[in-house]
Amino acid sequence: MPGTAIPDVVVVGAGVIGAACAEALSAAGVRVLVIDRDGPAAGTTASGEGNVLVSDKEPGPELELAIASRAEWDVVLSRLPERVADVEWETKGGVVVATTDPEPLKAFAAKQRAAGLDARVITPMEAFELEPLLTPRVTVGVHYPDDAQVQPVLAATALLAAVRDRGGEVRSGVTARAVRRSAQGRVVGVETDDGVIACGAVLNACGPWAGSFSADAGAPIQVLPRRGVILVTAPLPECVRHKVYDADYVGAVGSGDAELQTSTVVESTRAGTILIGSSRERIGFDDSLRVKVLRELAVKAVGLFPFLGDVPVMRAYGGFRPYAPDHLPVIGPDPRTPGLWHAAGHEGAGIGLAPSTGRLITELFLGLAPHVDPDPFRVDRPAVLAS
């Protein structure tokens, strides 16, 4: 692609969703330019844990997208340039445990199995065989072999490297201000603080700021920030083998409550550190770390893995997840503004859902048969349209 060619699509946002969409589009021969006001993976992607989960989702459209995306990760990883292919991809699986009444977790797993998910109910003894350092208060567990983990910053930057290798472009430090339309109302460019970039279409992949950019583009959607915090321990020998979380996590993921919610999520990284989450709180873009949140995360983590009580916490970090009111991402064209597209609202599942989001955007853009039903994610659904 000549450097002076007008891009078919300008992707606004260089996080994992924007990167995955750009990678999928470029793999299909679409000319892509990615812009970001900061740089690759500088926002929500950098503050995530790297979860690629199917275990935490109720049967329905998001679970179907997650199952498809888990398979699509293998395809996308195979397309990465060799020099950036190591994104710390680990097919470690997940273990969900209950420490009180076992029946709700069993019932949840049964619904997932009916939807086609591999969700294996295990006894407390089997849970201890998978994770020997778990609390003895475990009453039941569910093993999810398909859960995986990736280093999110490495993943996003590798996807963008693939875009560049195919002739696409990535520009950091460029802030999108609005879209430019023709007399007929179709998008013909994006207005930035660095001038107007002519293009055939604009994709809003701005994460928690997608609602703000959509309003600037004249087609507002409801995507709100939801704050999350993670603790990071000092490096340890291998002691947590899977992604492990308590059964409360599922309820927190699906809740729309604005108040603070915490549930225990514990997993190791290749570097040996332990990541401890998770919290959810709708407090706008307030990025302050509060002792109350950190304390709740630590106490609950020790309740699940007692040995963590003697492990020092090295640091804590937080970020904003892009939250849609109906808990479904927004993926597809905006019928109000031809040429404007959205890929946003994935909340904490963006890293796991990124490959299928990119594939679905590409299929819809090129008029191909979609690999999942796009209707539940359409832009013009009532929960998402903003007045």
Side-chain angles (χ1 to χ4, degrees), residues 7-350:
D8 298 315
V9 180
V10 171
V11 177
V12 183
V16 72
I17 293 295
C21 291
E23 192 280 329
L25 286 163
S26 67
V30 178
R31 295 190 301 273
V32 179
L33 166 63
V34 182
I35 62 173
D36 194 285
R37 65 183 181 186
D38 294 315
T44 296
T45 297
S47 61
E49 295 168 89
N51 296 329
V52 180
L53 302 184
V54 293
S55 57
D56 62 339
K57 296 167 181 63
E58 293 269 3
E62 189 181 24
L63 180 58
E64 293 170 13
L65 187 66
I67 292 172
S69 200
R70 173 61 182 84
E72 192 67 17
W73 261 111
D74 294 329
V75 177
V76 170
L77 290 171
S78 71
R79 293 199 299 246
L80 294 179
E82 185 176 354
R83 70 183 187 282
V84 293
D86 184 3
V87 293
E88 298 187 12
W89 174 254
E90 297 182 73
T91 55
K92 60 172 60 177
V95 176
V96 184
V97 297
T99 56
T100 53
D101 181 4
E103 295 308 315
L105 182 55
K106 288 182 179 179
F108 180 72
K111 290 193 297 182
Q112 290 179 312
R113 284 194 301 277
L117 191 60
D118 189 354
R120 308 173 186 179
V121 175
I122 54 177
T123 65
M125 184 58 66
E126 290 170 324
F128 299 141
E129 289 174 359
L130 292 173
E131 292 290 345
L133 299 178
L134 271 170
T135 173
R137 297 186 299 111
V138 170
T139 57
V140 72
V142 183
H143 180 211
Y144 294 90
D146 293 329
D147 278 354
Q149 185 177 353
V150 69
Q151 211 293 333
V153 174
L154 291 178
T157 53
L159 291 165
L160 293 172
V163 172
R164 290 190 183 97
D165 281 6
R166 299 182 191 125
E169 188 179 355
V170 180
R171 296 184 196 170
S172 299
V174 178
T175 301
R177 302 295 188 191
V179 297
R180 179 158 293 190
R181 310 185 199 196
S182 67
Q184 293 73 37
R186 180 170 186 84
V187 169
V188 293
V190 57
E191 299 178 7
T192 79
D193 59 356
D194 195 37
V196 177
I197 301 171
C199 61
V202 172
L203 175 62
N204 172 16
C206 296
W209 298 273
S212 175
F213 177 68
S214 70
D216 292 340
I221 58 173
Q222 289 270 17
V223 176
L224 309 169
R226 205 176 187 193
R227 173 78 163 158
V229 175
I230 297 167
L231 304 179
V232 185
T233 73
L236 300 168
E238 183 184 62
C239 50
V240 179
R241 303 170 181 173
H242 305 77
K243 179 183 176 67
V244 185
Y245 59 89
D246 66 36
D248 291 342
Y249 179 76
V250 174
V253 168
S255 171
D257 197 331
E259 297 302 313
L260 173 65
Q261 298 173 73
T262 58
S263 53
T264 310
V265 183
V266 179
E267 63 190 313
S268 63
T269 70
R270 188 183 292 183
T273 57
I274 303 292
L275 304 181
I276 298 171
S278 73
S279 67
R280 282 173 164 76
E281 194 174 14
R282 282 171 50 193
I283 53 174
F285 284 104
D286 180 357
D287 62 357
S288 57
L289 288 173
R290 294 184 295 142
V291 173
K292 173 186 176 183
V293 179
L294 305 180
R295 182 183 296 116
E296 281 198 27
L297 292 177
V299 167
K300 290 189 174 183
V302 171
L304 194 62
F305 282 101
F307 83 92
L308 288 173
D310 297 321
V311 175
V313 171
M314 186 169 60
R315 66 186 181 95
Y317 64 92
F320 302 104
R321 304 179 179 102
Y323 165 84
D326 60 358
H327 300 285
L328 290 175
V330 185
I331 306 170
D334 194 313
R336 299 166 295 180
T337 305
L340 177 63
W341 295 67
H342 303 278
H346 297 73
E347 201 175 336

